Amino acid sequence: DSGVTQTPKHLITATGQRVTLRCSPRSGDLSVYWYQQSLDQGLQFLIQYYNGEERAKGNILERFSAQQFPDLHSELNLSSLELGDSALYFCASSVATGVTTEAFFGQGTRLTVV
Amino acid sequence: GESVGLHLPTLSVQEGDNSIINCAYSNSASDYFIWYKQESGKGPQFIIDIRSNMDKRQGQRVTVLLNKTVKHLSLQIAATQPGDSAVYFCAENMGGGKLIFGQGTELSVKP
């Protein structure tokens, strides 16, 4: 158990809908990262927050957004869902943001868009 | 653009043999590399890392080799066990926790 908690574990929704994925980082970790894992794109970095502020952005679609709350949990919002958004979404956390800081991954949320 | 790729998508080995998983990267300025293991239904798990100022780093049953000349990484697993069966990813840390992952190699260990 990495200490990073993601909910829900599975989510099935229809195209055009909006969903929210939740992540609770390890105790004491200030930084949260979101990744998408799909069969054709592999593991892709989406976005990072550090202590409530956006720190880095990757290949995140405009339909997607995220935030980190004062209690350090984070939410990833996916809207106007398309079939191609079906994927595993992982959250990771780390205590700091340095290059060599180890990030711990949660178990992921499997999103299926039908 | 930046990319980190793996040479082999699947690798099958006998229990007890050594495994070697390879990875190529394209950004010659990369400074820090990590190998992750992902078991079915779980998130990636840190195995071992290496900085660009090193050629080799050893952990428990695992060794990572870095060849900066040809931009190549390898992960060696000694005495491979059934519990080592998983998908292995190399990743390049671009800073701030932004990891660029390779496509992954599935390691299958036959008893």
Side-chain angles (χ1 to χ4, degrees):
Chain A
D1 183 6
S2 66
V4 178
T5 304
Q6 289 187 246
T7 56
K9 285 190 167 46
H10 301 276
L11 196 50
I12 301 176
T13 190
T15 55
Q17 295 298 304
R18 171 190 170 93
V19 297
T20 298
L21 312 183
R22 183 188 168 99
C23 170
S24 294
R26 292 188 321 154
S27 177
D29 284 0
L30 298 177
S31 197
V32 170
Y33 316 82
W34 286 98
Y35 286 84
Q36 179 194 58
Q37 186 174 34
S38 61
L39 287 175
D40 57 343
Q41 295 290 325
L43 264 163
Q44 297 229 322
F45 170 77
L46 294 178
I47 198 164
Q48 179 206 359
Y49 278 81
Y50 179 78
N51 205 19
E53 294 188 0
E54 183 184 304
R55 182 60 69 96
K57 231 173 181 176
N59 299 322
I60 187 166
L61 299 172
E62 285 190 11
R63 300 183 286 109
F64 297 180
S65 64
Q67 53 185 327
Q68 186 179 28
F69 295 86
D71 67 352
L72 300 177
H73 91 270
S74 178
E75 292 181 355
L76 179 67
N77 301 296
L78 315 176
S79 61
S80 302
L81 284 166
E82 303 174 359
L83 296 177
D85 297 326
S86 295
L88 269 167
Y89 291 84
F90 287 103
C91 169
S93 75
S94 66
V95 65
T97 62
V99 169
T100 58
T101 301
E102 182 178 347
F104 295 84
F105 283 78
Q107 303 259 33
T109 293
R110 180 173 293 280
L111 173 66
T112 303
V113 183
V114 297
Chain B
E2 305 159 342
S3 67
V4 180
L6 293 173
H7 292 168
L8 299 174
T10 60
L11 178 63
S12 183
V13 300
Q14 284 293 137
E15 181 178 358
D17 286 352
N18 296 334
S19 303
I20 299 176
I21 300 171
N22 296 303
C23 174
Y25 63 94
S26 60
N27 187 352
S28 56
S30 295
D31 186 47
Y32 181 56
F33 303 88
I34 309 167
W35 280 98
Y36 282 90
K37 173 186 180 183
Q38 185 176 21
E39 296 174 283
S40 180
K42 296 185 179 181
Q45 179 185 2
F46 176 96
I47 301 173
I48 192 168
D49 58 358
I50 189 166
R51 299 286 312 248
S52 61
N53 61 354
M54 303 171 70
D55 296 323
K56 179 179 179 179
R57 188 152 192 235
Q58 287 185 293
Q60 188 177 13
R61 285 201 305 116
V62 294
T63 301
V64 54
L65 299 177
L66 175 61
N67 185 330
K68 294 180 287 294
T69 303
V70 295
K71 293 185 284 187
H72 182 269
L73 277 164
S74 68
L75 177 70
Q76 300 178 359
I77 305 173
T80 315
Q81 302 168 0
D84 295 327
S85 294
V87 177
Y88 290 80
F89 295 91
C90 64
E92 187 180 356
N93 194 326
M94 304 303 294
K98 179 182 177 183
L99 295 165
I100 306 296
F101 282 89
Q103 65 184 14
T105 292
E106 182 171 6
L107 176 64
S108 175
V109 182
K110 295 180 285 188

